[in-house]
Amino acid sequence: MFDRLYLPVLALAALAAIGLAMVWPQGLGDRSPAPFGHPPVQRSPEMQAAMRRETEAAQRHIDQTREAVRNIKNQAIAPHQ
């Protein structure tokens, strides 16, 4: 008897959750339709600048690492003469 009540309520809850998920959560992507959501965080000028700085710092780190490996290889091939 309990299943006759529980399973339809569970199905309605699942459908409601799916319907809400279609309009409510937006994560960091595009803005959800009105009246839900807020402007995406990653589109703010401050976040764009922070992401650009992070990318440039990572690129500098990669370049420094490659240069260090290159120097180590050169030392192994042609030690001080």
Side-chain angles (χ1 to χ4, degrees):
M1 181 78 173
F2 183 65
D3 288 345
R4 286 186 186 174
L5 180 63
Y6 176 70
L7 292 178
V9 170
L10 184 63
L12 286 175
L15 289 174
I18 291 169
L20 185 62
M22 294 173 94
V23 295
W24 188 271
Q26 70 179 36
L28 297 175
D30 286 335
R31 180 174 165 77
S32 293
F36 305 106
H38 53 81
V41 174
Q42 289 183 334
R43 295 215 180 147
S44 67
E46 299 86 17
M47 184 59 77
Q48 290 284 326
M51 290 177 2
R52 191 174 308 110
R53 286 191 305 269
E54 184 178 346
T55 301
E56 290 168 355
Q59 189 62 46
R60 280 193 304 272
H61 179 71
I62 289 171
D63 291 342
Q64 290 172 351
T65 303
R66 287 180 178 158
E67 184 65 29
V69 169
R70 197 174 298 122
N71 289 338
I72 290 170
K73 285 182 179 180
N74 287 341
Q75 289 292 326
I77 292 172
H80 295 287
Q81 297 175 0

